[in-house]
Amino acid sequence: MNKSSSQSAFHAIPWTGKAILLVDLDAFFASVEQRDHPDWRGKPVIVGGDPDKRGVVSTASYEARVFGVHSAMPSSQAKRLCPQAIWTHGHFDRYREMSNQIIKILSDETPYVQQVSIDEAFLDVTPTKVNTEHPIQIAMRIQQRVEDLGVTCSIGIGSSKTIAKIASEMDKPRGLTIVYPGTENDFLSPLPVRALSGIGPSAETKLKKVGITTLGQLAQTPRHEIERMFGKAGSVMHIRANGGDDSGIVTDESIKSVSNETSFAKDLTKAHEVEAAIATMASKVGRRLRKKNLKGSTLALRIRYGDRTVRSIQTTLAAPSNDDLEFIPKLYKMLRDIWHEGMPVRLVGVAMTGFDEPPESTEQLSLFEIEDNQTNNHEDFEPLIAEPTKRKKLLDATDSIRDRFGDTSVQFGSEIRSYQNTTGSSSKNVADYK
DNA sequence: TCTGGGGTCCTAGGACCC
DNA sequence: TCTGGGGTCCTAGGACCC
């Protein structure tokens, strides 16, 4: 990319003050699928759960959106609207990989990159004496480089994160929307309150009851009235509706929780089914914690009942843990506090939070060591897990095997039951694997 | 055959300590 | 002996985001 030549051909109103970009990848998951499957390009593609298993749409390609399909729509409804759509459950490692490549592109422009999700990031590209380039030029170069990777993005440019975010949504896909400093209030005032990040269905309803439907009306309402309705959040939304938002780019966001949850095609009612589901979720959480080298001190269990009401229970562990063999029994105890046999269970979730302790140094076993440590004998299994350091090695080894051969390749007793009960698929235990 | 799964942040009440 | 207040931790629930 030749900066000087593109600069000479570039004419725009000079940018004064802070410049924030919001880069949003267009229909990201579906776009990656179309990139990776050339024959899917130009066709409706839906990434989401099964229509007959209470699934929802994660992302719909623009070709599918023409039929009215959109994110979070029940898959069953999407299927009715667009029966010819190509359906996939998604390949999240692949999306993560693409996302990382794009973050690298953004990091070439500035160190002030804040990734807000797998498909969105803020950048601070405020012109300085050293970096005099116009924000629009930077945005155009980012769009080109992202397209070179085979997906597209929309970008909003403004004087704050709030403005950049809303601007990015004005024109999709491949849009570039600029809100010049000083024009923020004209830009915001006609927009519906829902345009503001932080105002969801609940706040929208509450505001409508007092006659506020636009950001202009929200901005004109005395601050204290909005604070009375929404507390601290109200103060923030009032400031933002008035074009104010001095929040900066946060670059070092550490993980605060790791969770796994699943909804069932049919509600569970039997204790062994619910316990098996909990064990499966817990083992996934444990594995991800170990992968991230994290140990959590607060363990939480979440149940959604047949009537969709939710209950949760959490407990503080005596010592931080990432060992599901250790905390699964605790989850069973917690389960008894919020559920009894016969109550329909629609969803089970397990979460670990409380990562206060600095992560301990990574200690990985090589594949050779794993094979050396691997046992062929089921009788050796129990004594092996009783001793903490050996247990860590066992967990490392099973994690590695799962990485290579998939989740169902290695299962502990409590999990095996879950697969037999819910899917009927065959499974192997550690001892069978070699 | 309506409404997932991964997160973050806030609130409010109770326990406990000083 | 009684009362109070602040700070902090813990817990459950809920709003919101992508």
Side-chain angles (χ1 to χ4, degrees):
Chain A
M1 179 67 55
N2 186 334
K3 282 190 191 182
S4 58
S5 72
S6 57
Q7 206 154 23
S8 62
F10 185 78
H11 303 286
I13 302 167
W15 194 274
T16 52
K18 205 167 174 184
I20 304 292
L21 264 53
L22 189 278
V23 178
D24 185 313
L25 302 170
D26 300 317
F28 182 50
F29 295 171
S31 296
V32 174
E33 296 296 340
Q34 288 177 319
R35 179 201 179 281
D36 291 348
H37 303 87
D39 49 319
W40 291 6
R41 295 176 196 168
K43 293 178 185 166
V45 173
I46 293 173
V47 180
D50 283 332
D52 57 351
K53 287 185 182 165
R54 293 171 167 174
V56 298
V57 174
S58 177
T59 315
S61 72
Y62 284 91
E63 296 85 355
R65 293 183 193 194
V66 170
F67 294 86
V69 178
H70 58 79
S71 296
M73 171 183 279
S75 296
S76 53
Q77 194 182 343
K79 188 93 188 170
R80 280 197 299 274
L81 290 170
C82 190
Q84 72 272 40
I86 297 161
W87 214 281
T88 169
H89 292 166
H91 304 89
F92 294 91
D93 289 346
R94 174 75 185 119
Y95 309 151
R96 174 58 61 193
E97 184 189 331
M98 281 290 289
S99 174
N100 289 343
Q101 287 183 50
I102 290 157
I103 293 298
K104 280 204 186 81
I105 290 173
L106 305 184
S107 304
D108 286 343
E109 300 293 346
T110 170
Y112 305 112
V113 177
Q114 177 179 358
Q115 189 171 5
V116 287
S117 70
I118 196 167
D119 64 351
E120 260 184 53
F122 286 109
L123 281 76
D124 188 333
V125 294
T126 303
T128 63
K129 283 192 177 122
V130 179
N131 179 11
T132 58
E133 208 175 4
H134 198 286
I136 296 176
Q137 266 189 297
I138 297 172
M140 289 168 67
R141 183 166 56 241
I142 288 170
Q143 285 190 312
Q144 185 56 56
R145 292 190 65 191
V146 168
E147 285 182 32
D148 290 345
L149 283 182
V151 296
T152 66
C153 65
S154 297
I155 299 184
I157 310 178
S159 58
S160 69
K161 292 206 282 191
T162 297
I163 300 293
K165 166 77 177 157
I166 299 177
S168 77
E169 285 160 4
M170 304 302 286
D171 184 17
K172 282 187 184 185
R174 299 178 70 178
L176 177 55
T177 304
I178 300 116
V179 179
Y180 279 96
T183 67
E184 290 87 356
N185 287 329
D186 291 340
F187 171 68
L188 291 174
S189 64
L191 299 175
V193 291
R194 274 302 292 276
L196 201 64
S197 181
I199 298 185
S202 169
E204 181 188 30
T205 305
K206 247 171 134 177
L207 287 167
K208 198 173 182 181
K209 276 189 184 140
V210 296
I212 299 171
T213 58
T214 69
L215 290 179
Q217 291 167 336
L218 179 58
Q220 291 303 312
T221 308
R223 169 88 45 92
H224 68 267
E225 284 184 30
I226 305 303
E227 282 174 351
R228 191 165 38 79
M229 291 171 73
F230 301 105
K232 200 186 274 187
S235 142
V236 172
M237 70 175 72
H238 191 267
I239 290 168
R240 292 183 175 174
N242 277 285
D245 167 15
D246 58 0
S247 64
I249 300 296
V250 181
T251 53
D252 62 333
E253 279 179 304
S254 51
I255 295 165
K256 307 240 173 26
S257 71
V258 172
S259 65
N260 268 91
E261 59 182 46
T262 191
S263 294
F264 309 106
K266 277 186 168 177
D267 293 351
L268 307 184
T269 55
K270 295 190 172 69
H272 69 88
E273 293 173 340
V274 177
E275 287 181 357
I278 288 171
T280 301
M281 294 300 101
S283 77
K284 289 183 180 187
V285 168
R287 182 180 166 212
R288 285 172 55 206
L289 289 170
R290 295 191 290 277
K291 213 167 190 172
K292 294 170 192 284
N293 208 26
L294 289 169
K295 285 186 176 181
S297 56
T298 305
L299 180 65
L301 175 67
R302 213 163 85 93
I303 300 278
R304 194 195 293 273
Y305 301 97
D307 65 359
R308 299 187 54 80
T309 58
V310 175
R311 276 213 65 185
S312 62
I313 182 165
Q314 70 181 68
T315 187
T316 301
L317 303 175
S321 172
N322 57 16
D323 180 354
D324 41 280
L325 300 180
E326 184 179 282
F327 60 70
I328 283 172
K330 293 186 168 43
L331 289 165
Y332 291 168
K333 279 206 184 82
M334 292 154 73
L335 174 66
R336 288 181 208 117
D337 285 345
I338 58 172
W339 181 81
H340 59 76
E341 181 124 34
M343 293 172 77
V345 174
R346 182 187 182 93
L347 168 149
V348 157
V350 172
M352 189 71 88
T353 61
F355 307 129
D356 290 333
E357 312 298 323
E360 58 179 36
S361 69
T362 315
E363 182 207 322
Q364 293 282 0
L365 287 174
S366 76
L367 285 178
F368 301 105
E369 287 178 286
I370 289 161
E371 284 172 14
D372 288 345
N373 282 299
Q374 199 58 51
T375 171
N376 276 317
N377 187 331
H378 190 265
E379 276 68 45
D380 291 347
F381 183 76
E382 285 303 328
L384 188 63
I385 64 171
E387 206 257 304
T389 60
K390 288 219 174 142
R391 182 190 284 187
K392 174 165 167 32
K393 288 190 176 184
L394 172 71
L395 290 169
D396 282 347
T398 56
D399 288 349
S400 297
I401 291 167
R402 282 171 165 162
D403 283 342
R404 291 160 72 203
F405 303 106
D407 253 344
T408 56
S409 58
V410 183
Q411 288 169 0
F412 295 109
S414 51
E415 294 172 62
I416 291 166
R417 221 171 25 186
S418 97
Y419 281 89
Q420 287 170 341
N421 282 331
T422 59
T423 70
S425 71
S426 69
S427 52
K428 298 178 175 187
N429 62 29
V430 171
D432 292 328
Y433 214 93
K434 190 68 195 267

